[in-house]
Amino acid sequence: DTGVSQDPRHKITKRGQNVTFRCDPISEHNRLYWYRQTLGQGPEFLTYFQNEAQLEKSRLLSDRFSAERPKGSFSTLEIQRTEQGDSAMYLCASSLAVPYGYTFGSGTRLTVV
Amino acid sequence: AQSVTQLGSHVSVSEGALVLLRCNYSSSVPPYLFWYVQYPNQGLQLLLKYTTGATLVKGINGFEAEFKKSETSFHLTKPSAHMSDAAEYFCAVSDGSSNTGKLIFGQGTTLQVKP
């Protein structure tokens, strides 16, 4: 069990650029979640995959955001045409089943300048 | 809709003193309740969870929490604070009748431990 890995740890991008983050969950976990955390706030749910199927998306996930989980393994979160309001920590978590708790990755901190 | 309120954004205790972090939730269905800890620039680590059964749950690092349905509370306690407990703590709730496992988090409580 190597934990949940996220890459990159930090990303600084100019407004209007596209960025992509990667998450590698614990291998036997079929559930994968993306959350966004802004300074001083708790994480907010973005989207959820069970295997390769994206089963739920938050209203926070605008048309500029897209997430994939090909073959039910790693996942990517892409933000197109980044805005300053996208600056946040993006957290990935995986889980074996409900109601087990998540295992979180260390997150990707995005700064849009 | 479910929600979580953590009372007190900052709590300061002396080393060796009791730690009490308060969490109240709102849920129209039986909830699953969680406490997570976050150290600077890291992800969240599960401290403990309540799903069903015994209402007093014990977690890692000497923490425990009690589910009180009548008070809609799930407060986190530790008898004796250690310097290493200084971190941010998040209470979270999920829908016990849903299969998604989606969590609703509180805004967090920063615990400061003074020597």
Side-chain angles (χ1 to χ4, degrees):
Chain A
D1 179 356
T2 57
V4 177
S5 298
Q6 290 190 247
D7 184 68
R9 290 293 309 275
H10 303 275
K11 178 71 176 178
I12 300 175
T13 191
K14 292 184 178 180
R15 189 174 52 187
Q17 297 294 305
N18 299 343
V19 294
T20 300
F21 311 140
R22 177 180 170 120
C23 171
D24 287 90
I26 292 173
S27 57
E28 61 266 31
H29 287 183
N30 61 347
R31 293 164 178 265
L32 187 146
Y33 303 82
W34 285 98
Y35 282 77
R36 181 171 71 186
Q37 185 180 23
T38 53
L39 202 60
Q41 301 295 317
E44 296 174 292
F45 171 79
L46 292 178
T47 190
Y48 154 63
F49 290 86
Q50 185 162 340
N51 300 312
E52 67 275 11
Q54 187 175 21
L55 297 184
E56 187 168 343
K57 292 194 297 185
S58 164
R59 288 172 297 175
L60 293 175
L61 218 62
S62 73
D63 292 344
R64 297 184 297 105
F65 288 72
S66 63
E68 295 182 340
R69 192 183 182 195
K71 302 180 183 178
S73 55
F74 69 93
S75 176
T76 58
L77 178 67
E78 181 183 15
I79 309 174
Q80 296 182 327
R81 305 181 304 281
T82 51
E83 302 173 355
Q84 286 190 321
D86 297 331
S87 295
M89 175 80 87
Y90 290 85
L91 293 163
C92 175
S94 69
S95 173
L96 191 54
V98 175
Y100 296 100
Y102 299 165
T103 299
F104 277 90
S106 296
T108 294
R109 181 168 296 283
L110 173 67
T111 303
V112 182
V113 297
Chain B
Q2 296 177 305
S3 65
V4 173
T5 302
Q6 291 183 238
L7 301 175
S9 58
H10 287 84
V11 170
S12 182
V13 300
S14 297
E15 191 174 19
L18 171 72
V19 175
L20 171 60
L21 304 182
R22 299 177 186 274
C23 172
N24 287 88
Y25 70 91
S26 172
S27 179
S28 58
V29 297
Y32 295 148
L33 294 160
F34 304 81
W35 275 99
Y36 283 86
V37 61
Q38 186 177 34
Y39 297 98
N41 297 314
Q42 293 188 26
L44 284 74
Q45 180 184 11
L46 179 66
L47 278 177
L48 49 78
K49 65 178 186 286
Y50 168 79
T51 54
T52 58
T55 57
L56 181 64
V57 292
K58 296 184 184 299
I60 62 172
N61 301 338
F63 284 95
E64 62 182 37
E66 186 171 11
F67 170 58
K68 292 187 176 181
K69 183 178 178 181
S70 61
E71 298 178 9
T72 61
S73 69
F74 191 57
H75 301 330
L76 182 71
T77 61
K78 181 174 180 178
S80 177
H82 191 271
M83 296 297 290
S84 61
D85 294 327
E88 185 138 25
Y89 291 79
F90 293 95
C91 181
V93 63
S94 74
D95 182 349
S97 64
S98 166
N99 196 36
T100 69
K102 178 175 71 176
L103 294 181
I104 306 299
F105 284 87
Q107 291 191 313
T109 297
T110 300
L111 176 65
Q112 179 186 26
V113 182
K114 299 177 291 185

